[in-house]
Each structure stands twice: as structure tokens, then as C-alpha cells.
Amino acid sequence: MQAMPAAPILSVRNLNVDARTPEGRKPVLKDIGFELASGETLCLAGESGSGKSVTSLSIMGLLPKASLRVASGSIMLGERDLLKLSDRAMRSVRGGDIAMVFQEPMTSLNPVMSIGAQLMEAIREHQGSENAEATALQMLDAVQITDPAKRLKQYPHELSGGMRQRVMIAMALSCRPKVLIADEPTTALDVTVQAQILKLMRELKSEFGTSIILITHDMGVVAEMADRVIIMQNGGIVEEGPAIGIFRAPRQTYTQQLLSAVPRLGAFAGTNGPPRITSRSVETLHPDRTPVLNVRGLNVTYGGAASFLFKGKASAVSDVSFDILPGETLGLVGESGSGKSTTGKAVLGLIPFTGDVIIDGRNIAGLSHREMQPIRRTAQMIFQDPYASLDPRMAVGSAIAEPLVIHGIANKAERRDRVAELLRRVGLTADAATRYPHEFSGGQRQRICIARALALEPKLIVADESVAALDVSVRARVLDLMLELQENMGLSYLFISHDMAVVERMSHKVAVMRGGKIVETGTRRQIFEHPAEDYTKALMAAVPIPDPEARRAQV
């Protein structure tokens, strides 16, 4: 007699969620339904706004009541419908039966409580106070945090991003939940740390028998982790099936577009630079091939106000040297703490440094803030988080025009025309100038930041993790835009990233940083096809491959 299939751990049926808007109710989730089997990893994939996180918050009973409500449906955990439980009953479910790891651990952890206090608080809530400290130590050891006894006494700011995410996973698993929901748990992490976290999640799933719902827009992570995949778009499910089937033969156009937008390491093998940038276009725009940026012996030392963290002075960047020619992109890669962002800030004079930084023929070493102002017309920066880079109280048009106002360029009418032109150049309409940052998507906000960086017609742009937080298809469009602008304007980029596949796509030259020093540099072809350093090889080996059949060996 054939055995009956095991009942699912979690079953979501006909879930509909509405948002309150001035125009009335607006559907956010539409007839979402799926089942999660015991020991299964189910990935919810799709772009921002597709409904992935709203689905997870509905399961956890954490929807913001002021703006969202479940209109209909059921969420069954065994025989219990979570949508019918009281708030008090749901508190015992959260952390006990279902736990969640959020995207940004720094905002999920209490900055004024020690790691141990936060872990033990969760353990006592669901398991009682007996042996809470011993359990906390055991969980930190399970997630492979070094010196767990020491970490219990530390605070979130004293840990790296990868370690903070490990603490969040330890907290989520401390009460042995049946289901773990991980919402973009590796988006902000370096590629090597990401590989460690994904490996850790597989090991813990095997050890504790936990079923996982993994929410991500990174199709490489989906390929690495998923047993089954659900593709979401505009609040609905457009395709679902086994991971191999989704990647091998996607049926829906949207799924095909998602997969085609994934940057693949090695896709540009045999080429020396971004294919859209030709030496002819660069020479036409910049006949003089003098470097637009020349860095020699750059050193940055932290101390002073930060000395309480570093126990005195610490070298963040040591003896870094490189050049960037007109129309050229230098990709600067490495893990968090390697000195990439510090280097980017130093070359624009945003933090103190020693050494020589020559921008368009002028050494900025020792220049005052006032003396730096003319240099700002030559060199601009695009930051990682476009929302944090824009004043939420300032209309987009005013934000883009602000550099023109500061430098006294053009009159009000001319600036308005210039803003409209810049918005069109980055693929937005002129009427966007009257709207505010919160009215745009993440990709649109990054385009706005690019428009602002272009306002002064610079020769050099420092792009610091400028696409790290964007969905894969939005990221592809922003990268295409940056390449197009480089071709049309002859821009030079210092492109800072931990994503090796993106760096391969964008760069003519690559410098690899570790511990504040450049450990390897060369042309794109040299670095990606013939890396000399083991560290460079490790960075590339850690990149998830968007193919479930090529995933790393399961533990």
C-alpha cells in the first residue's frame, strides 16, 4: 500500500491583502496560494513591489494595521489558521513555531542591548529562563561565530554585517521553529560572507529539520538554495515549480526576463572592456589621455572620535595607488572592511587622508572645503542608498538643481530646463521634478541620484555600491544607463562593488582590495581570466551560479 504524502507544514490559500489609499482599497496581494513541505526550501522571487515581503509579513501577523489588511484567505500552520488567532496567541507562534530573519540586521537588533541580552530575551520568552545563557552560547556556536562568550557581551555596532546576520539567524533558530522565513538575508552582504550564510542555512536546516521560506530578488541565490520556486509580480504568482524546471525551461515571459538579467561571471571572457565603450569614442571626447584621477600612496587612518571602537588609531587604507584614464572604469572590489568605500571617499576629499590625489591635474591633498569646491565640478559621487542620499523634504527637481545653485551656474529658468534634460537623459519624465523621493521606486531614485551627479558635467564619478540594493532587472537597466552615459559623455568611473559579476561587466581595469591594501590589479581580462592571488580566486568562487544543477555541494 502506497504511503500517504505528508501534510504540509504551512499552507497559504487564496490570500488577498489590501492597502488603504486616498482613492480607497487597493489590492496588494491577489489570490496567493502555496504549500511548504517539511524540510523544504521554498524561494519567493521577484522584483521590489511584487508582494514577496507582504506575503511573509502576512504569515507572521506583522502587517502594519494602519495601511494594510488581510481581506480574505487562510494561512494554516498544521490545523491552526493563523489569521484567526488573537495577537496574544500569535506572539507565541512568532519565534516559537515560525521565526523570521530580516534583511538588515543592524535595524533589527537593539543598539543599546548586548547581543547576549537580546538572544536570552528571545529564549526566555519561548523556553523559560532556565539555561538561557547556555542556550544562547550554544546557538552562537551553531552559527559558527568565533569566541561566542565574548560576543554575548558585545553590542551590534561591534560586529561586522556578516556576524550580525549570524546573530539574527541564531536568535531565529534558538527556539527550534518549524518554519524559518528569511527575507533578503544576504542582500547587503559581501559575496564571500553571503556564501558562508547560505552554507550555514543549509547546515542548520539539516541539523534542526527546519523548513525555509527564502525571499530574494537574487536569482543566483535562488539557484543555490531552492527546492521549489515561486515567481511573483505585481502581487500575484506568475509561475511556480521545481528550481531546476524554472531555470531550465521558464514558461512565463517575466521569468525569462528575470533570468536573462542575471549577471553571469565569465559572460565577458575574451574582451578587454565594456563592449559599448570604444577607444574611438573616448579619443574623440578626450584626445588628451592624461589620467583624470591619479592616486599615489593614499593612506587613511581612523582615530579621534572613532578611537573608542578601534582602541586607538587604525589604518583603514594603506599605500594605495592607481590611475583612471578618461572614459575608463576602474572596478574596486573586496569584502566589507577592505577599504573600498574609504578609498572612494578619500579620493573626493570627503575624509582626511595623506598621500597624493590628483583630479584633472590638481592635487587635492591639504585643500580646504572652500578650495575643494571647484574640484566638485570635475568629480562627483553616487552613493549606495539613493533614499538616504536624497532629502525627503526636497522635491526631486530641487535636489538635482542644488549643485547648480551652489556653484552659481545658470539662472532659475535655465536650471529648470537643465533639470528636465537630465531627467530625460536618465530615463525619467520632466514632470518627475515636482515629486518627492518617496514617490519613486529604488531604481528610479538611483536614476535621480545619477542625474544629480551629472548636473555639473563631471569627468569622474565615484560609484560606491551604486546598484547593490537594486533588483536584478532594475540593476541591469541602471548599469546599461551608466555605460550609455560613459559612451556619450566620456565619463570615467571608480566603480566600487563586492559583486564580481557586475564588476566584470562594467570595468576596463580591476583593483582587488584586502585589509586596506590593493593586493592585485590588472585589466579586466587579466583579473577575471588569470587571477594571481588566492583571495581574488576566492571572491570569484563565492559568486552564486544561476544554475541549480551547478550549486555548491550540499552539506
Side-chain angles (χ1 to χ4, degrees):
M1 183 175 178
Q2 189 174 1
M4 293 291 290
I9 293 292
L10 184 75
S11 178
V12 178
R13 300 168 185 164
N14 304 115
L15 180 64
N16 291 273
V17 174
D18 292 343
R20 293 184 176 92
T21 72
E23 293 77 31
R25 291 284 181 180
K26 178 182 177 182
V28 175
L29 291 184
K30 293 165 281 190
D31 292 322
I32 299 299
F34 60 85
E35 293 182 343
L36 179 69
S38 176
E40 180 183 41
T41 296
L42 173 67
C43 280
L44 304 185
E47 297 175 293
S48 293
S50 62
K52 307 185 304 294
S53 293
V54 174
T55 300
S56 69
L57 292 175
S58 300
I59 295 170
M60 294 293 291
L62 294 174
L63 288 176
K65 294 181 179 180
S67 57
L68 295 174
R69 62 145 193 166
V70 175
S72 61
S74 64
I75 300 173
M76 304 299 296
L77 181 68
E79 299 299 319
R80 291 178 292 172
D81 187 346
L82 301 184
L83 296 180
K84 294 180 179 178
L85 297 184
S86 66
D87 289 343
R88 183 184 185 89
M90 273 304 297
R91 280 199 295 272
S92 66
V93 171
R94 294 187 207 107
D97 295 309
I98 306 177
M100 190 163 182
V101 178
F102 294 92
Q103 178 174 351
E104 179 43 68
M106 192 60 179
T107 57
S108 303
L109 293 167
N110 190 327
V112 297
M113 288 178 67
S114 69
I115 297 300
Q118 296 184 65
L119 272 169
M120 287 185 278
E121 181 181 53
I123 293 166
R124 287 171 181 142
E125 174 70 22
H126 295 280
Q127 294 187 356
S129 59
E130 187 177 354
N131 298 323
E133 183 172 353
T135 302
L137 279 169
Q138 179 187 355
M139 292 311 303
L140 287 183
D141 186 61
V143 297
Q144 300 170 22
I145 283 185
T146 58
D147 200 352
K150 176 183 176 182
R151 306 304 177 195
L152 285 180
K153 300 174 184 177
Q154 291 183 309
Y155 290 82
H157 70 267
E158 297 181 87
L159 304 183
S160 68
M163 290 177 69
R164 286 194 292 264
Q165 196 62 288
R166 287 170 186 265
V167 169
M168 290 301 301
I169 294 173
M171 193 178 299
L173 293 176
S174 61
C175 299
R176 306 293 196 271
K178 298 174 183 175
V179 177
L180 174 67
I181 300 175
D183 188 0
E184 301 280 8
T186 63
T187 294
L189 301 179
D190 299 327
V191 65
T192 50
V193 179
Q194 173 180 269
Q196 293 164 11
I197 293 296
L198 296 180
K199 179 174 181 288
L200 171 65
M201 290 176 66
R202 289 197 300 268
E203 291 173 343
L204 294 173
K205 183 179 88 166
S206 175
E207 181 178 350
F208 296 111
T210 303
S211 301
I212 297 176
I213 297 177
L214 179 61
I215 297 168
T216 183
H217 63 255
D218 188 328
M219 299 305 288
V221 171
V222 173
E224 185 76 18
M225 294 292 292
D227 298 313
R228 283 194 305 122
V229 181
I230 289 176
I231 304 294
M232 297 187 68
Q233 183 185 28
N234 298 327
I237 293 175
V238 297
E239 187 167 357
E240 61 179 304
I244 290 177
I246 292 290
F247 279 81
R248 280 283 175 265
R251 300 185 303 275
Q252 300 299 319
T253 301
Y254 177 68
T255 309
Q256 294 165 5
Q257 291 171 345
L258 276 182
L259 291 173
S260 66
V262 177
R264 286 170 165 78
L265 199 63
F268 298 99
T271 63
N272 294 317
R276 301 174 72 169
I277 309 304
T278 65
S279 58
R280 179 180 170 186
S281 64
V282 170
E283 288 167 2
T284 302
L285 290 161
H286 296 287
D288 180 6
R289 296 289 279 162
T290 302
V292 68
L293 176 65
N294 183 287
V295 178
R296 288 291 177 271
L298 178 71
N299 295 277
V300 178
T301 301
Y302 284 134
S307 60
F308 76 99
L309 285 178
F310 295 102
K311 311 299 187 242
K313 291 189 175 182
S315 177
V317 173
S318 178
D319 197 27
V320 164
S321 301
F322 57 84
D323 297 326
I324 301 179
L325 295 172
E328 183 177 67
T329 298
L330 173 67
L332 194 59
V333 300
E335 298 172 291
S336 289
S338 62
K340 308 185 305 293
S341 294
T342 301
T343 298
K345 292 172 185 175
V347 301
L348 292 183
L350 299 177
I351 56 175
F353 67 88
T354 60
D356 295 310
V357 174
I358 301 168
I359 298 177
D360 201 27
R362 185 171 182 187
N363 197 335
I364 70 168
L367 295 186
S368 66
H369 179 75
R370 181 181 293 273
E371 291 170 326
M372 275 296 299
Q373 188 162 317
I375 307 295
R376 305 279 181 225
R377 295 190 63 170
T378 300
Q380 286 285 302
M381 191 162 193
I382 303 170
F383 294 93
Q384 176 174 354
D385 185 346
Y387 194 63
S389 305
L390 296 167
D391 187 333
R393 301 165 298 176
M394 183 181 286
V396 160
S398 298
I400 295 172
E402 189 177 32
L404 301 173
V405 174
I406 291 171
H407 288 268
I409 298 172
N411 58 40
K412 189 172 182 179
E414 291 169 336
R415 287 197 293 267
R416 185 170 57 249
D417 292 342
R418 174 70 173 147
V419 167
E421 177 194 344
L422 286 166
L423 285 169
R424 283 192 293 269
R425 175 164 271 177
V426 299
L428 298 172
T429 56
D431 61 7
T434 61
R435 294 156 61 191
Y436 289 82
H438 72 272
E439 299 179 75
F440 296 89
S441 68
Q444 289 173 324
R445 285 195 289 263
Q446 196 61 290
R447 287 171 179 264
I448 291 164
C449 289
I450 292 172
R452 184 176 59 181
L454 294 175
L456 297 174
E457 299 184 346
K459 297 179 180 179
L460 170 69
I461 290 180
V462 177
D464 187 6
E465 299 281 11
S466 54
V467 296
L470 301 180
D471 297 328
V472 62
S473 55
V474 177
R475 180 191 308 172
R477 292 194 290 270
V478 170
L479 293 175
D480 282 342
L481 171 64
M482 293 177 70
L483 290 173
E484 180 184 338
L485 293 169
Q486 185 174 49
E487 184 175 34
N488 294 336
M489 301 175 65
L491 290 170
S492 299
Y493 292 120
L494 176 58
F495 191 84
I496 299 169
S497 179
H498 64 258
D499 189 325
M500 297 296 285
V502 169
V503 169
E504 184 189 26
R505 178 180 182 182
M506 293 294 293
S507 305
H508 300 87
K509 296 188 303 188
V510 179
V512 182
M513 290 195 73
R514 186 182 191 187
K517 298 181 179 181
I518 291 179
V519 296
E520 185 169 6
T521 186
T523 66
R524 180 176 73 180
R525 195 167 184 174
Q526 289 170 337
I527 296 298
F528 283 94
E529 296 181 37
H530 307 288
E533 294 291 323
D534 289 339
Y535 177 69
T536 308
K537 296 174 185 176
L539 285 177
M540 289 191 281
V543 177
I545 300 170
D547 181 355
E549 293 182 320
R551 66 175 59 168
R552 294 175 185 84
Q554 302 290 306
V555 178

